[in-house]
Each structure stands twice: as structure tokens, then as C-alpha cells.
Amino acid sequence: MNKENSPLSEQVAKLIRPEIQALSSYHVPDASGMIKLDAMENPYSWTEELVAQWLDTLRQAELNRYPDAAASRLKQQLRLSMAVPEDAAILLGNGSDEIIQMIMLALAAAGRVVLSVEPGFVMYNMIATFTGMQYVGVPLQDDFSLQRQAMLAAIRQHRPAVIFLAYPNNPTGNLFARSDIEAVIAAAPGLVVIDEAYHAFAGDSFMSQLGAYDNLLVMRTVSKMGLAGLRLGLLAGHPQWLNEFDKVRLPYNINVLTQLSAEFALQHHAVLDAQTEAIKKDRQTLFRELQKFDGLTVYPSDANFILFRVPAGRADAIFAGLKAEKVLIKNLHKAGGMLQDCLRVTVGKPQENAAFLSALKKVLA
Ligand SMILES: *Cc1c(COP(=O)(O)O)cnc(C)c1O
């Protein structure tokens, strides 16, 4: 069958929006048999005893019934554990990716702009494209701090409906200066979403500032703190905004198993907290060990991953060499721009980090 010119491919080409055809699906590489340090996951599992207790609570799950559509009990627990101010509302998403999509669905209209930084989180650009918004990315400085004047100029020029800033930023790992972010919030004609996906590893937050700005929203996720499999994200902000976003939320987006499991995990948050502390400590070790390699530029991180730059032109080969040694990290070189020659490694267990370092030593030799 001739795929290129078949009636079906012509119909696909005619019917699917051109901007969707131009996209590539979010690529998730096969990691079977690999030391998996590519996706900012927490590498630790639970004790058998905790798993047994968790499975016990799942017995209450009524799979024949729709979940609690408001997820009230879970929201209350998240409010306490994430210190969401009393007068802020909470919206839950099937991962914070779904929250980004809900915000843009509610805002999208011809000519509406989403503004963020480059390099930044790829989903802002991708979701802007498929919701029909225009994406503008303002370059960061060489040290990945915000270019305050360039941001303010872009805000004046594009009048963005929403600005997304990841704090700490992905894929660079740094926290922007609070004063720069405050200047952006003050200048923004629309919403500003501070995406605190890596909050557990950074400590700093804009959550307590929600009352100070009507246009500020704070987003969190349980993914990077050890519950990536649950798919649960949270948006906190003024109820007037969140009531509108709630209208584009599909009913029952947080399933029964996620609600019960997240409630259980939050009751045992000390386990996750201890894992987070271990990861933060191991991040320091990994950072220092990476700095010992000749020819690498290693960027300081407030997240659970480290970005590093390899000698020019060698990123693809180093990435492939690590893969051959059964270590999977993230190759950012193909993203181009300031990420040329850059790789990103997630902090794993100490023995995984050691395996990565020794594979890197071998590949760089
Ligand atoms: C991982 C990540 C997310 C997505 O988190 P999910 O809740 O798993 O969808 C959002 N923002 C940033 C900056 C991330 O790195």
C-alpha cells in the first residue's frame, strides 16, 4: 500500500490541523533493563509493610462507582500538606500537565499569547500549540537566570494572557531570583502561573504570596516527590479564576485509585520527606563528582536533576555511549539553542548515581 498518496493519508492531511501535523508526540524512550535517570522520578519504593497497608486501604475502592467528583477529602489533605492559604481555591488535574491544558483551554482565542522562557518546560509550548494559543519564549541569560528587561519588554509587546514560570526551572534546575519574578507578576496584564513541580527539592515557594496578587496562580504536582504513577497535580489561586478553569475540567478526572492512594501517601508523608532529603544530599555528591570531570560545565540545581554541558559536538555520542552502558539520561542537545551540547541526569539511588558516573568516565575517556 502506498502510504504517502493513499486516499486515507490525503484525508488525514486535509482534516488534521496543520499545527498538529507539525508536532511530534511526546516521546518516552523504552527504559527496560536500564538504570533510569531520565524522567525526574523518585527512585525509591516503599517498604513491604507500607505497601501492605496501602493495598489494605484500596479495599475500600468502589470501582463500580464514579469517584468523588470534587475529591474533597484529598483536597483538604493537600491544602494542609502544601500550606495552601485558606482563602485560595484548589483545582486538581490528572498530573499538572492537565492543569496547564485546562488553563489554556479556558484562555485560548485568536491572537492570545502564552509567554514563558527558553529553555523552559516543553509542555507550555506544546499545549499552547494544540489549544490554539500563540507561544512566545523569552531567552534566559547564559547562567539561566531571568533576563528581567527582556521579559518586561516581551510583556509590553505581546500582552500575554498567561505567563508560565517553572520555579525551579526545568530543564535548567535553578530558581529564578524572587525579585525578577515579582517584577514579572507586577507587569503582567494577565495571569502568572508559578509551576512548583520541584518544590520538594527547593524549599522556596510563592504559595504564601497568593493573597498578595490577584493574577498569581501556584501549581504543584506529586509526581516528582515520589508519586509519578498516580498522575495528580494541583493548582491554587483565587476562586474566581479556578471556578472558570473548573468548567473545562472533564468530570471525574481524578480516579478512585489515585484519590485513595494519594490520601494514603500524604498520611505517610514522612516516608516521602525522608526520600526527598536523601535525594537532596545525593544531588550534592553527584554535583561535586560531575564537577571533577574535565571539560564539563555543571549547572547548580535546586531540583532532583542536574543539567551539564559536554564538549561541543559530543552530546549525542556521550548519550548513546551511556545508553550502551545501560544508563538512560536525557539528551537535550537536539532541542538546540542554549541547550546545545547539554545532557540532564536525574538524581537516583547512590548506587545508580555511581553507575552513571563510572559509565560517564568510560564514555568520556
Ligand atoms: C514534570 C513537570 C511537570 C508535570 O508534572 P505532572 O504532574 O507529572 O504532569 C510540570 N511542570 C514541570 C516544570 C515539570 O518538570
Side-chain angles (χ1 to χ4, degrees), residues 166-232:
Y167 185 77
N169 190 37
N170 173 13
T172 59
N174 57 311
L175 287 167
F176 300 128
R178 279 190 83 95
S179 54
D180 286 340
I181 294 185
E182 282 158 3
V184 166
I185 299 171
L191 289 161
V192 178
V193 180
I194 305 298
D195 178 351
E196 299 186 341
Y198 300 97
H199 171 258
F201 309 98
D204 201 37
S205 173
F206 277 81
M207 191 68 91
S208 65
Q209 299 301 297
L210 280 177
Y213 305 98
D214 281 346
N215 62 336
L216 174 64
L217 301 168
V218 173
M219 194 162 67
R220 295 273 182 90
T221 174
V222 301
S223 295
K224 314 290 158 64
M225 61 188 238
L227 302 167
L230 290 184
R231 309 303 299 128
L232 179 67

Side-chain angles (χ1 to χ4, degrees), residues 130-162:
F130 63 67
T131 56
M133 294 192 83
Q134 189 198 332
Y135 176 83
V136 174
V138 179
L140 296 173
Q141 318 229 42
D142 286 343
D143 65 354
F144 300 131
S145 59
L146 278 184
Q147 290 204 49
R148 190 198 285 215
Q149 292 316 322
M151 281 299 282
L152 297 180
I155 290 169
R156 279 193 298 274
Q157 185 188 344
H158 298 286
R159 311 297 295 163
V162 60

Side-chain angles (χ1 to χ4, degrees), residues 25-281:
S25 323
Y26 188 80
H27 173 65
V28 179
D30 180 18
S32 39
M34 296 278 199
I35 295 177
K36 193 171 185 312
L37 302 176
D38 65 327
M40 282 79 99
E41 292 147 325
N42 171 329
Y44 297 104
S45 44
W46 293 349
T47 61
E48 270 182 48
E49 192 195 343
L50 198 59
V51 170
Q53 284 181 46
W54 164 59
L55 291 175
D56 261 351
T57 61
L58 290 187
R59 273 178 225 288
Q60 323 161 27
E62 291 191 291
L63 295 183
N64 56 319
R65 301 289 179 196
Y66 283 109
D68 172 4
S72 319
R73 205 169 45 197
L74 174 56
K75 273 188 194 165
Q76 187 50 30
Q77 256 184 298
L78 286 165
R79 180 180 291 281
L80 292 175
S81 84
M82 296 191 175
V84 178
E86 224 170 277
D87 41 10
I90 293 176
L91 178 77
L92 301 184
N94 187 335
S96 41
D97 288 344
E98 194 194 30
I99 295 175
I100 300 167
Q101 179 177 290
M102 285 190 261
I103 294 171
M104 292 200 199
L105 279 174
L107 297 174
R112 293 276 182 92
V113 167
V114 176
L115 192 115
S116 190
V117 296
E118 290 296 330
F121 185 44
V122 291
M123 294 309 289
Y124 307 146
N125 191 351
M126 207 168 157
I127 296 173
T129 302
F130 63 67
T131 56
M133 294 192 83
Q134 189 198 332
Y135 176 83
V136 174
V138 179
L140 296 173
Q141 318 229 42
D142 286 343
D143 65 354
F144 300 131
S145 59
L146 278 184
Q147 290 204 49
R148 190 198 285 215
Q149 292 316 322
M151 281 299 282
L152 297 180
I155 290 169
R156 279 193 298 274
Q157 185 188 344
H158 298 286
R159 311 297 295 163
V162 60
I163 300 170
F164 281 89
L165 291 174
Y167 185 77
N169 190 37
N170 173 13
T172 59
N174 57 311
L175 287 167
F176 300 128
R178 279 190 83 95
S179 54
D180 286 340
I181 294 185
E182 282 158 3
V184 166
I185 299 171
L191 289 161
V192 178
V193 180
I194 305 298
D195 178 351
E196 299 186 341
Y198 300 97
H199 171 258
F201 309 98
D204 201 37
S205 173
F206 277 81
M207 191 68 91
S208 65
Q209 299 301 297
L210 280 177
Y213 305 98
D214 281 346
N215 62 336
L216 174 64
L217 301 168
V218 173
M219 194 162 67
R220 295 273 182 90
T221 174
V222 301
S223 295
K224 314 290 158 64
M225 61 188 238
L227 302 167
L230 290 184
R231 309 303 299 128
L232 179 67
L234 169 150
L235 184 71
H238 199 289
Q240 284 198 38
W241 292 117
L242 269 58
N243 288 343
E244 299 301 323
F245 300 140
D246 198 44
K247 296 175 187 173
V248 300
R249 182 175 65 86
L250 294 178
Y252 314 117
N253 62 329
I254 312 300
N255 73 71
V256 171
L257 298 177
T258 295
Q259 291 193 31
L260 285 171
S261 302
E263 287 168 21
F264 176 84
L266 291 172
Q267 280 156 16
H268 297 86
H269 67 90
V271 175
L272 299 178
D273 296 346
Q275 294 173 346
T276 298
E277 283 312 306
I279 292 165
K280 281 165 73 176
K281 230 173 100 237

Side-chain angles (χ1 to χ4, degrees), residues 144 295-299 307-311 338-342:
F144 300 131
L296 299 189
T297 307
V298 191
Y299 295 96
L307 183 77
F308 59 101
R309 194 181 297 279
V310 301
M338 293 172 77
L339 292 176
Q340 229 173 34
D341 306 310
C342 282

